[in-house]
Structure formats: structure tokens, C-alpha cells
Amino acid sequence: MSMLDERQRRLIDQELGEIDALLDRSQNLLSVSDDETPPFERLAALSHILNSFYTGLERVFERITGQVDKSIPEGDRWHAELLGQVAKSTSNRIAVISKESRTRLREYMAFRHRSRHAYAHHLEWVPMQHLVEQLMDTWRRVHSDIQGFLAEGVNDSID
């Protein structure tokens, strides 16, 4: 059964630390009152934070699937396929993230796709508000999932 080698574990830990640092440094920007519509500059910054968050997680998922599954999706839908792949157990590993985490992360992936293919001046607060509001809770859940995977890793119960 394949597992992550120490180099990959260090790189994953480094990536998780980068996400922690991003969110820590972004706390002031992420605190938006309910009745506030952030100005353009803040929307652009929040969009970048959401993009960086999801991109960092995707790098973690690529490291895990590349080494453990020996398979990283390709093609037009590879982002969605990768997210689905890490939410399922395989013959040699447990699921990396829970189904709930997958559902939440799908929204961040979709936002990243839309925001990367549009000009920043088209950003709107309403579609991104709940992503900003749920970001820290989503990160805690996903981080916990990944830590659980790193602690358990191999799925001996699957034949």
C-alpha cells in the first residue's frame, strides 16, 4: 500500500501552514459587517484570498493523489474530478476530506473559476459573501479532515 513519503508530508505541512498564514493575515479583511457592502478594492482583495485558499488546498490534493493514488485527473474537468477523488476512499487510502467538506469546497472552486475568467470590476458582494463568512469554519473542517487523513492514511478495511 502506498503512503506519503516524508518529503511529501513536509510539503503538505508547508502548504497547510501557508493557508494558515494567509487566513491569519487576512482577518481584518474577512471581518465584514452584515449591512456592509465592501468597496471594489476590498472585493478584489477578498476574491484573491478566496482564490489563494482554494488553490492551496488543490496543491495539497494533487500531492496526495499523485503519490498515493498514482493518478491526478486531467482534461477540462480536472478540478472537479480532483475534488471528487479526494472525497472518496480508495483501495489504499481513506477519504482525504468528508462529503460535507467536498460540498463546501465545490463552492470555492466554482467561485475561483468564475473570478479567474472575469474582470475584477465585475465582482459582486452577494455571490461571495457567504464564502467569506464561512471561510474560517470551512478551513477548520477541511484542515481537520486532512490532518485525520495524514494520521490514518492507509485504509486497511477496504479489500
Side-chain angles (χ1 to χ4, degrees), residues 107-139:
E107 293 183 76
Y108 289 90
M109 179 185 62
F111 175 81
R112 184 186 65 178
H113 177 79
R114 285 190 312 273
S115 68
R116 281 187 170 180
H117 293 91
Y119 287 98
H121 65 275
H122 290 290
L123 288 170
E124 294 180 20
W125 176 234
V126 173
M128 61 192 291
Q129 182 175 3
H130 75 284
L131 297 176
V132 170
E133 291 171 349
Q134 292 181 1
L135 185 58
M136 295 309 296
D137 184 56
T138 298
W139 171 233

Side-chain angles (χ1 to χ4, degrees), residues 64-110:
I64 292 169
T65 58
Q67 185 164 38
V68 178
D69 298 356
K70 307 287 189 229
S71 166
I72 299 173
E74 297 177 2
D76 291 346
R77 294 193 32 79
W78 79 268
H79 299 281
E81 290 172 14
L82 178 65
L83 188 56
Q85 184 174 338
V86 296
K88 294 179 185 154
S89 59
T90 68
S91 59
N92 48 321
R93 68 161 173 78
I94 62 171
V96 179
I97 60 170
S98 68
K99 289 186 184 348
E100 180 183 343
S101 290
R102 176 186 180 213
T103 298
R104 283 182 175 224
L105 290 178
R106 253 193 264 176
E107 293 183 76
Y108 289 90
M109 179 185 62

Side-chain angles (χ1 to χ4, degrees), residues 17-27 48-50 52-53:
E18 290 291 339
I19 296 169
D20 270 333
L22 167 74
L23 298 179
D24 186 53
R25 299 242 356 233
S26 303
Q27 282 305 306
H48 190 68
I49 292 164
L50 295 174
S52 294
F53 167 71

Side-chain angles (χ1 to χ4, degrees), residues 3 36 59 74 91 147:
M3 271 311 297
E36 179 184 0
R59 284 194 290 261
E74 297 177 2
S91 59
Q147 292 297 352

